[in-house]
Amino acid sequence: MQSSLREKGSAVSRVMQIIEAVAKAERPLSPADLAIFLHIPKPSIHRFLNQLEDDGFVQTTLRGLIIPGIRMHGVAWGVLHSERFSAARRAILEQLTEQIGETCGIAIPKGTEMVYYDRVQSDWPLQLNLQVGSHTPAWCTASGKLYLSSLPKQRRQKMISHLPLRQYARNTIVDTEELETKLLAIKSRKISTDNEEFVDGMVGCSVPILDSDNKLCACLFIHAPLLRKSLDQLIGYSDILWAAALELGSLIDGPDSATR
């Protein structure tokens, strides 16, 4: 009985080590990489990876490399989105909306789209009304471009080459080379913008919400109609956005770090 429990505990520990390694990796890893890095026999690593892929925690690329799956992307954000931190999260967003006077929210990546996970709407009658759970394209929204810019070069370029670059608004980027150039600029500035690229007459900007390992786990955004705010005016709130993103990121690491 004790031997069985030890083996079960060891298996659980190894699975968690694999999840952690894949989540933190700067590049996609092969099963052999993981076996060497984690000192796990190859037959065992393949068995664990098969189970994790069946459960949606990892994905295997066409080259046989391991990348985070949909469920893994949701783990870190699930902590922030949980009931435990909902009051703190909402308070941060509400304060931000009051300071800026425009709708603020949080989006997370899901494939080639961004999903609205939370938002606090301004009181103005004229606004873009996208509810929590809405999906938006990654290539023409501030949050989406911010996420794409955070990806390793090879993975980013491969994703761009498969994007359905549809023209949503007057300034939507539909050329892959132009999009890559914009993403490199965003990667350097650490702030992304939407200059009437998703909806005509709407502008927005976004900054990353980072975890303790400095990895993007979500995007904090603001948007407004041009009748009220120019893109330059929204960018002018970048310091306030960064401060709020830092607070949101600290929630992921636990309540004690939220006061840092």
Side-chain angles (χ1 to χ4, degrees):
M1 178 67 175
Q2 289 181 344
S3 175
S4 175
L5 287 174
R6 282 198 297 271
E7 290 175 3
K8 183 178 180 181
S10 176
V12 170
S13 176
R14 287 179 171 184
V15 166
M16 296 307 295
Q17 288 172 353
I18 293 169
I19 289 175
E20 182 179 26
V22 173
K24 293 183 176 181
E26 293 292 335
R27 60 176 178 82
L29 301 173
S30 69
D33 291 332
L34 288 165
I36 294 170
F37 179 65
L38 299 174
H39 305 290
I40 298 175
K42 287 185 179 180
S44 297
I45 203 80
H46 283 286
R47 186 174 71 253
F48 291 138
L49 287 173
N50 286 338
Q51 185 61 57
L52 287 169
E53 186 162 20
D54 287 343
D55 292 339
F57 285 100
V58 301
Q59 299 178 61
T60 302
T61 69
L62 293 176
R63 297 175 58 201
L65 302 178
I66 307 302
I67 59 174
I70 292 174
R71 291 185 68 183
M72 192 186 294
H73 280 299
V75 169
W77 182 245
V79 176
L80 183 57
H81 195 63
S82 67
E83 188 65 27
R84 183 181 179 191
F85 299 122
S86 62
R89 185 186 70 250
R90 292 293 294 183
I92 293 169
L93 289 179
E94 287 170 0
Q95 183 181 35
L96 188 61
T97 298
E98 184 176 347
Q99 287 177 303
I100 297 175
E102 299 295 343
T103 296
C104 304
I106 299 167
I108 64 167
K110 185 177 182 181
T112 60
E113 297 179 316
M114 301 299 290
V115 181
Y116 276 30
Y117 245 62
D118 204 354
R119 71 197 293 270
V120 172
Q121 195 162 297
S122 65
D123 292 329
W124 298 102
L126 178 61
Q127 55 191 305
L128 182 63
N129 189 18
L130 287 173
Q131 300 301 319
V132 170
S134 298
H135 291 230
T136 59
W139 68 90
C140 58
T141 55
S143 295
K145 290 188 295 178
L146 183 64
Y147 162 65
L148 291 174
S149 75
S150 74
L151 298 175
K153 179 180 179 180
Q154 192 171 30
R155 185 178 169 197
R156 181 180 68 247
Q157 292 181 341
K158 183 176 182 179
M159 183 176 286
I160 290 174
S161 69
H162 290 90
L163 288 174
L165 299 182
R166 169 186 162 192
Q167 185 91 37
Y168 277 88
R170 69 187 69 182
N171 294 329
T172 304
I173 299 172
V174 294
D175 178 78
T176 55
E177 291 186 6
E178 182 182 357
L179 180 57
E180 171 67 4
T181 299
K182 293 287 186 182
L183 295 179
L184 289 175
I186 291 168
K187 189 178 184 71
S188 174
R189 297 196 310 264
K190 306 296 184 184
I191 185 169
S192 178
T193 60
D194 169 5
N195 183 23
E196 296 188 87
E197 296 167 55
F198 181 41
V199 176
D200 287 329
M202 297 293 295
V203 291
C205 62
S206 180
V207 298
I209 299 173
L210 306 174
D211 62 16
S212 58
D213 293 314
N214 211 38
K215 298 287 184 64
L216 182 149
C217 60
C219 303
L220 176 63
F221 66 83
I222 55 173
H223 56 64
L226 272 171
L227 290 173
R228 279 201 308 270
K229 295 276 198 317
S230 68
L231 182 57
D232 285 341
Q233 284 177 298
L234 291 188
I235 294 173
Y237 294 112
S238 58
D239 287 345
I240 300 175
L241 276 176
W242 270 110
L246 183 62
E247 285 189 84
L248 289 166
S250 70
L251 294 179
I252 297 172
D253 300 320
D256 293 335
S257 62
T259 58
R260 70 186 177 193

